[in-house]
Amino acid sequence: MKQQKGSLTLRVKRELGRLLPEHARLPLVVTLLWNQTIYQGSKLLAQTWPHFDLSLPIDARIPFLPWTVLIYFACFLFWGVNYILCARREKALAYRFLSADLFAKIVCGVFFLLLPTTNTRPAVGEQGIWNFLMRFLYQIDSAENLFPSIHCLVSWFCYIGVRGQTDMPKWYRCFSCLMALAVFVSTLTTKQHVLLDVFAGVLLAEFSFWFVQKSGFSAIYGRGMDRLLHIWKRLTERYRSGHSTKHG
């Protein structure tokens, strides 16, 4: 029984290694935790502060299309797939991509605190699956932390990360660009964001990807992640050693 369990564990480890190399696992976890820390933490800090509406006259002319909530929610799968694809690259490329995400979220946090934003949401009908999903979206995601749009930022990162990868199928690189553009539209037609939020998210993604390479931030990030990985390895080795001794 123990032999079968050990064989299964080894197979799982091999499959995980194929999906995600060792250098990618911890940084992806840090990316997810950092995103939540910035987004939810800034909301908590600024919840009683004055918020500003950055809507332009043209935003009022953009129609409210509840069915586009499907694109808005589908992008979470898009993010997961592309972030894994980008994190699987060789370490230097993966760290540049993930450090750009981390840096961009720092900038987002600054904006969320210095320029808290909100917008006016439309009334949503009672009937139909799309209206149900819109009401659900509005319930779980309050109209705060809009500028820059993290939805647009992360979606454009998903394209940035693959657009120069010639070993990746061209159709998928094109799909990533079109999917990112579709997400931009969905943030506007679900009235989650306004045009300035979208443009700010895209510009911040481009700037961050350039900045981390030119400034050496990605190298600093890489050293930090390598150090964290080393500490994590030591902790897990101690745990396994203690666990095997206890059950030996």
Side-chain angles (χ1 to χ4, degrees), residues 130-162:
W130 305 127
N131 286 335
F132 169 79
L133 289 174
M134 280 304 314
R135 291 196 304 272
F136 174 69
L137 173 60
Y138 285 175
Q139 286 171 2
I140 64 172
D141 190 20
S142 58
E144 300 167 273
N145 288 356
L146 305 182
F147 181 89
S149 165
I150 286 186
H151 248 71
C152 297
L153 171 82
V154 174
S155 295
W156 198 244
F157 266 138
C158 285
Y159 172 57
I160 288 175
V162 302

Side-chain angles (χ1 to χ4, degrees), residues 7-20 25:
S7 177
L8 178 62
T9 302
L10 285 174
R11 285 200 299 272
V12 170
K13 285 183 177 179
R14 278 198 298 267
E15 291 304 316
L16 180 60
R18 288 176 186 173
L19 177 65
L20 275 179
R25 298 169 201 167

Side-chain angles (χ1 to χ4, degrees), residues 78-79 81-83 85-86 152 154-163 168-184:
F78 172 55
W79 295 351
V81 170
N82 278 43
Y83 268 58
L85 288 175
C86 294
C152 297
V154 174
S155 295
W156 198 244
F157 266 138
C158 285
Y159 172 57
I160 288 175
V162 302
R163 67 184 174 192
M168 191 169 290
K170 186 175 181 180
W171 71 263
Y172 190 79
R173 285 178 277 152
C174 292
F175 164 78
S176 294
C177 180
L178 293 174
M179 183 62 187
L181 294 175
V183 172
F184 299 169

Side-chain angles (χ1 to χ4, degrees), residues 115-129:
L115 185 65
T117 48
T118 188
N119 67 357
T120 302
R121 289 172 164 176
V124 182
E126 293 293 326
Q127 302 299 318
I129 183 63

